[in-house]
Amino acid sequence: MIYLENRKPIHRIFISIQGRAALKTKAYLEEVQILRGLAFIGVAFQHTLGPFMNQQGLGKSDAILLTILFNLAKFAVPLFVFMTGMVIFYNYYDTLEYPKFIVRRTKEVIIPYLVWSLIYVFHGVPFPQDFLLFIKDVSQKILTGSTYYHLWFLVMIYQFYIVYPCFRSVAKQLEPRLRSEKSLILLMVSLGAVYLGLTWLSSSVIPRLDNLGGMPQFWSFFSEYRDRTFIFWFFYFVLGGLAGLTVNQWRNWVEKTFLANSLLCLLLFTRVTYEMWMQSYPTPAGYVVNFNVSTSLKPSMALFSISAIIFLYGLTLRWTQKSNRVMEYLDRLGKHSFGAYLVHALTLEYTARVVYKFMQPLAITPKIVIILAGCVICAYYFSVLISQTPLAAYVVGSGAKRKNSSSGPNVPRSTPSM
């Protein structure tokens, strides 16, 4: 397994892989499922806040609260991508049978994605009169992840499965050159700078080019759907891959830098929240909060997301040292986060309907708490129930059932990273 003892120096961060392939299992990483659970809660939290940020009549205090809460949850998607990189590199760096790998990922991700795309297409929509036009429209939406607001992520993450051999090949070619701490730091700083440049292009340059008009059709397509292109998320995947290849060194480094990074994370959070608030403004109908300002594809938010991932990882390592109910719940939620993610848009909608119908007088904060709790709990139990049925592989992915039945100290972690 890719596992290094604490006493080994950092210049051994990439060691010879001879002999590792003989090991059949890898150590159970307790933090993986907890981080997945946190990431899912973060996604559900963002989507819970969306309708509140769009409503009219927001007071200043409510607008400030929503701005703070929304940015607190922005770590979610980058963390999911990070965990994808960590799990894949952890399991498939030494040996990779690509045909089996991609077939398995297709079954576990794409089939449930197609099923839920159709569920959301027909949800609350009358049967179309022009069936051929309907098929064309749905096909385009499925290809671009546009059938519902949260499904774009699966289109993006599946691209990493497709191109993973390229990342793996580059990592293996770089192994001989990364024998020192300085070399590794230089590489990650360089990749980070490239990624920040990409986010700058996405947030500052591409929108201006779009406003010029007369751009080629291909450019318009790329610009519109760049948020679901793996290139614009690659650094989180690479960072996760580094963590997966050097588990103990990564843990030690996260622990060692925890306090300093916590302060940095707070400063970066203050920065992105200030940026968002400065784009909010009062109107006669109340404050308008533009949550599109806090896009993940801009430099300040990318820096905050990287710092937040490291902070949450360190926090999770500390939590896992103590057994408690919260950790148990997060672990269970993490095991079923893929199915919960797929269904949570529905559980969110119906929970919100109940709250708005029967709890309208409540203030905004208790409404948010109740809707978020209802969304997460219902989505979790839906995934748990479906995972026990013959429909599991088609609805919530076969990974949930396999993870639920796995036990023991040595469990391969090769299931979908949602």
Side-chain angles (χ1 to χ4, degrees):
M1 60 187 172
I2 305 166
Y3 209 81
L4 307 175
E5 296 182 7
N6 293 344
R7 65 176 181 272
K8 292 190 176 181
I10 195 167
H11 70 268
R12 297 292 304 281
I13 218 162
F14 282 99
I15 63 175
S16 170
I17 64 172
Q18 294 178 356
R20 292 190 304 185
L23 297 173
K24 300 299 182 182
T25 59
K26 292 177 168 62
Y28 181 86
L29 304 180
E30 292 182 90
E31 63 267 29
V32 167
Q33 302 297 6
I34 294 172
L35 287 166
R36 285 176 176 164
L38 287 173
F40 171 67
I41 291 174
V43 167
F45 199 8
Q46 287 183 60
H47 294 160
T48 297
L49 296 173
F52 290 98
M53 300 177 82
N54 285 323
Q55 75 179 23
Q56 296 195 1
L58 279 178
K60 185 175 182 179
S61 58
D62 289 339
I64 293 174
L65 174 66
L66 290 172
T67 301
I68 294 172
L69 293 179
F70 188 77
N71 282 309
L72 277 176
K74 286 299 291 183
F75 67 86
V77 171
L79 181 56
F80 268 137
V81 180
F82 170 88
M83 297 307 299
T84 298
M86 184 175 185
V87 169
I88 290 180
F89 272 89
Y90 187 75
N91 286 283
Y92 297 104
Y93 184 73
D94 293 339
T95 57
L96 174 66
E97 297 180 37
Y98 186 68
K100 291 183 179 179
F101 171 82
I102 200 65
V103 167
R104 179 175 177 178
R105 294 290 166 167
T106 300
K107 289 180 179 179
E108 293 183 344
V109 175
I110 296 301
I111 291 179
Y113 166 71
L114 293 175
V115 169
W116 281 98
S117 292
L118 294 177
I119 290 174
Y120 283 108
V121 162
F122 288 102
H123 173 62
V125 177
F127 195 82
Q129 295 181 349
D130 190 335
F131 190 71
L132 291 178
L133 183 62
F134 172 75
I135 292 296
K136 180 180 178 181
D137 180 60
V138 169
S139 299
Q140 181 179 349
K141 287 181 177 179
I142 288 176
L143 288 173
T144 58
S146 305
T147 50
Y148 220 63
Y149 60 80
H150 66 305
L151 295 179
W152 68 271
F153 177 81
L154 300 185
V155 171
M156 181 269 290
I157 212 68
Y158 186 71
Q159 296 170 44
F160 280 110
Y161 302 148
I162 294 174
V163 301
Y164 170 63
C166 298
F167 282 97
R168 178 175 178 266
S169 177
V170 171
K172 286 184 174 291
Q173 290 178 18
L174 290 175
E175 271 190 42
R177 303 179 184 180
L178 298 175
R179 298 297 184 182
S180 69
E181 180 180 357
K182 290 182 179 179
S183 298
L184 182 63
I185 292 175
L186 179 61
L187 173 65
M188 295 307 293
V189 169
S190 299
L191 289 176
V194 170
Y195 183 66
L196 291 177
L198 279 175
T199 59
W200 173 74
L201 288 173
S202 177
S203 60
S204 300
V205 177
I206 293 179
R208 294 178 183 176
L209 293 177
D210 291 342
N211 293 333
L212 295 177
M215 302 299 291
Q217 186 174 359
F218 170 78
W219 174 264
S220 299
F221 182 85
F222 169 77
S223 174
E224 182 177 357
Y225 298 111
R226 66 185 183 277
D227 63 332
R228 59 211 64 187
T229 304
F230 80 94
I231 296 172
F232 284 92
W233 301 91
F234 86 89
F235 186 77
Y236 305 115
F237 185 80
V238 172
L239 187 64
L242 177 64
L245 290 176
T246 60
V247 176
N248 269 6
Q249 274 88 347
W250 169 258
R251 287 171 170 171
N252 291 340
W253 180 79
V254 168
E255 288 275 18
K256 191 180 301 183
T257 61
F258 183 76
L259 292 178
N261 180 66
S262 298
L263 178 59
L264 176 62
C265 190
L266 177 61
L267 293 174
L268 290 170
F269 170 74
T270 303
R271 170 64 186 271
V272 297
T273 302
Y274 174 77
E275 289 176 353
M276 186 175 177
W277 178 248
M278 290 305 294
Q279 295 297 318
S280 303
Y281 53 91
T283 68
Y287 267 81
V288 174
V289 179
N290 183 7
F291 57 86
N292 290 321
V293 172
S294 282
T295 172
S296 294
L297 303 185
K298 72 175 186 178
S300 58
M301 186 57 73
L303 288 170
F304 167 64
S305 298
I306 294 167
S307 181
I309 288 171
I310 298 169
F311 169 75
L312 289 171
Y313 204 106
L315 203 61
T316 301
L317 289 176
R318 297 185 174 207
W319 286 344
T320 54
Q321 295 173 3
K322 301 177 182 179
S323 179
N324 57 63
R325 288 290 181 87
V326 175
M327 291 301 97
E328 291 178 12
Y329 293 148
L330 285 174
D331 183 75
R332 294 176 187 175
L333 180 59
K335 291 175 182 176
H336 293 275
S337 57
F338 183 67
Y341 182 91
L342 290 168
V343 73
H344 86 276
L346 286 181
T347 60
L348 173 60
E349 177 181 337
Y350 288 107
T351 303
R353 287 186 184 183
V354 171
V355 169
Y356 279 110
K357 184 174 182 179
F358 298 104
M359 307 177 191
Q360 186 60 37
L362 288 178
I364 191 170
T365 301
K367 282 182 182 177
I368 291 172
V369 172
I370 294 171
I371 293 174
L372 176 62
C375 168
V376 171
I377 292 171
C378 292
Y380 165 75
Y381 279 108
F382 175 88
S383 183
V384 170
L385 291 174
I386 294 297
S387 69
Q388 305 303 316
T389 72
L391 297 175
Y394 308 103
V395 181
V396 295
S398 57
K401 192 170 185 177
R402 185 168 59 254
K403 282 183 284 190
N404 198 40
S405 61
S406 299
S407 60
N410 297 311
V411 183
R413 311 311 278 168
S414 56
T415 47
S417 301
M418 179 61 68

